[in-house]
């Protein structure tokens, strides 16, 4: 079987194919990051699906929780869930390394077979030089794509887009208008929906309690005013009755009563 594979140079074909796939994967990953970065430069309505979903998620979180506590975690989660051709960004990056390992294994296996059959390790060893070429091309692809820097740049741009650019308006101004135009309803997690309902009930109870307290205070003030008015009315009525009694008495009797009243006050 091994003789059949070596006679038909199948290891060389596999080595070359793995090298091509590894280099192509990093070039594709480079284009993915460039497209996502370009989309963040537009402060208007995003064109890419990734930024649209991230923007909607940010608005929903801001609406349900009044603010987004960790924007960086929200961005990282969105990037982890992003898929291109069914593979995540991390999977695309690892694909180049996996292809390089496969190329080197093919080069090593072919070199071992040639050496056992009397061949040289370096001179005239096609597998050795093909392995070196695969390693150089893959390293060059990783250097050109520079996915580490592009990922960091994308995270910074997304953070600025969500927090500082003003492109993401409040949920009540943008998402509600969008839903009204499209006739769609946002899909929110069950736990988030429960928290929103509890918050709404608490706000309603607080408003009802405030209104009841205000009505109670108003009632107390009205009763106090009524009581004060009744006391003033009774005092005026008593004074009127006393004056009428004094008018009906004799002058001497009036003088005697007034003298007694003054003595009581002074004593």
């Amino acid at each position: 079987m091994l003789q059949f594979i070596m006679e038909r140079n199948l290891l060389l074909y596999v080595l070359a194919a793995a090298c091509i796939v590894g280099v192509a994967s990093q070039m594709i990953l480079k284009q993915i990051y460039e497209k996502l970065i370009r989309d963040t430069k537009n402060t208007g309505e995003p064109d890419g699906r990734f930024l649209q979903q991230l923007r909607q998620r940010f608005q929903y979180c801001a609406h349900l929780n009044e603010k987004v506590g960790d924007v960086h975690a929200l961005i990282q989660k969105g990037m982890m869930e992003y898929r291109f051709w069914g593979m995540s960004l991390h999977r695309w990056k690892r694909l180049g390394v996996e292809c390089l390992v496969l190329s080197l294994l093919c080069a090593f296996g072919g070199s071992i077979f040639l050496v056992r059959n009397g061949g040289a390790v370096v001179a005239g060893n096609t597998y050795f030089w093909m392995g070196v070429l695969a390693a150089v091309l893959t390293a060059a692809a990783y250097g050109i794509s520079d996915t580490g820097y592009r990922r960091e740049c994308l995270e910074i741009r997304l953070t600025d887009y969500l927090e500082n650019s003003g492109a993401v308006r409040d949920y009540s101004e943008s998402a509600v208008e969008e839903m009204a135009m499209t006739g769609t309803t946002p899909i929110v997690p069950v736990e988030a929906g429960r928290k929103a309902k509890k918050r709404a009930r608490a706000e309603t109870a607080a408003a009802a309690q405030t209104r009841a307290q205000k009505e109670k205070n108003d009632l107390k003030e009205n009763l106090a005013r009524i009581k004060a008015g009744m006391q003033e009315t009774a005092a005026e009525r008593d004074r009127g009755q006393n004056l009428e009694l004094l008018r009906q008495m004799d002058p001497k009797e009036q003088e005697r009563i007034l003298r007694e009243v003054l003595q009581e006050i002074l004593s």
Side-chain angles (χ1 to χ4, degrees):
M1 182 65 180
L2 182 60
Q3 185 69 27
F4 176 82
I5 293 175
M6 297 303 297
E7 288 178 355
R8 287 163 177 75
N9 295 324
L10 295 181
L11 283 181
L12 282 177
Y13 294 141
V14 173
L15 190 156
C19 177
I20 293 173
V21 171
V23 172
S25 67
Q26 300 313 299
M27 294 298 101
I28 292 174
L29 184 59
K30 175 177 175 292
Q31 295 299 319
I32 293 173
Y33 277 117
E34 288 181 350
K35 180 180 180 301
L36 295 177
I37 291 173
R38 282 197 307 270
D39 203 13
T40 59
K41 296 179 181 179
N42 181 18
T43 57
E45 187 66 24
D47 298 327
R49 182 179 179 184
F50 168 73
L51 197 55
Q52 289 178 354
Q53 293 177 344
L54 185 64
R55 175 174 175 165
Q56 290 178 355
R57 182 175 296 173
F58 181 87
Q59 290 171 338
Y60 295 158
C61 292
H63 173 66
L64 294 174
N65 305 320
E66 297 179 356
K67 66 177 181 178
V68 180
D70 194 343
V71 178
H72 186 65
L74 181 70
I75 292 173
Q76 286 187 326
K77 184 174 184 295
M79 294 179 65
M80 289 172 59
E81 295 176 351
Y82 179 77
R83 294 292 184 273
F84 184 79
W85 290 353
M87 293 193 300
S88 64
L89 298 175
H90 180 69
R91 188 73 184 84
W92 278 103
K93 185 176 181 180
R94 286 180 58 88
L95 182 60
V97 177
E98 293 170 355
C99 290
L100 175 61
V101 172
L102 180 60
S103 300
L104 295 179
L105 288 176
C106 291
F108 180 76
S111 299
I112 293 296
F113 181 82
L114 291 179
V115 169
R116 286 184 176 180
N117 286 274
V121 177
V122 177
N125 189 344
T126 307
Y127 291 96
F128 174 81
W129 293 111
M130 285 291 293
V132 173
L133 180 61
V136 171
L137 291 177
T138 304
Y142 272 93
I144 294 173
S145 61
D146 196 5
T147 56
Y149 169 76
R150 296 180 191 278
R151 182 182 180 88
E152 182 181 359
C153 180
L154 177 61
E155 291 180 355
I156 294 174
R157 286 183 175 274
L158 288 174
T159 304
D160 178 70
Y161 177 81
L162 295 178
E163 290 188 331
N164 305 323
S165 68
V168 182
R169 297 175 297 171
D170 182 70
Y171 179 87
S172 59
E173 297 179 359
S174 59
V176 172
E177 294 177 359
E178 181 180 351
M179 288 186 295
M181 295 176 61
T182 58
T184 58
T185 304
I187 300 175
V188 297
V190 176
E191 187 64 25
R194 291 176 179 173
K195 290 182 179 179
K197 290 181 179 179
K198 289 182 179 179
R199 189 182 302 111
R201 286 196 295 267
E203 292 175 355
T204 303
Q209 184 176 4
T210 303
R211 184 169 58 253
Q213 187 67 27
K214 183 177 181 301
E215 292 176 353
K216 183 179 180 180
N217 294 334
D218 293 341
L219 180 59
K220 288 182 178 180
E221 292 178 0
N222 293 334
L223 291 175
R225 285 195 295 268
I226 293 172
K227 183 178 180 180
M230 292 176 63
Q231 290 176 350
E232 292 178 358
T233 302
E236 291 178 357
R237 185 173 62 252
D238 292 340
R239 284 196 297 270
Q241 292 177 356
N242 293 333
L243 290 174
E244 185 66 23
L245 291 173
L246 288 173
R247 290 193 189 98
Q248 295 176 0
M249 293 179 181
D250 295 334
K252 293 182 179 180
E253 187 69 18
Q254 292 178 359
E255 184 179 354
R256 185 182 63 80
I257 292 175
L258 291 174
R259 190 181 299 112
E260 291 178 356
V261 171
L262 288 174
Q263 289 177 356
E264 291 180 357
I265 293 174
L266 293 175
S267 62

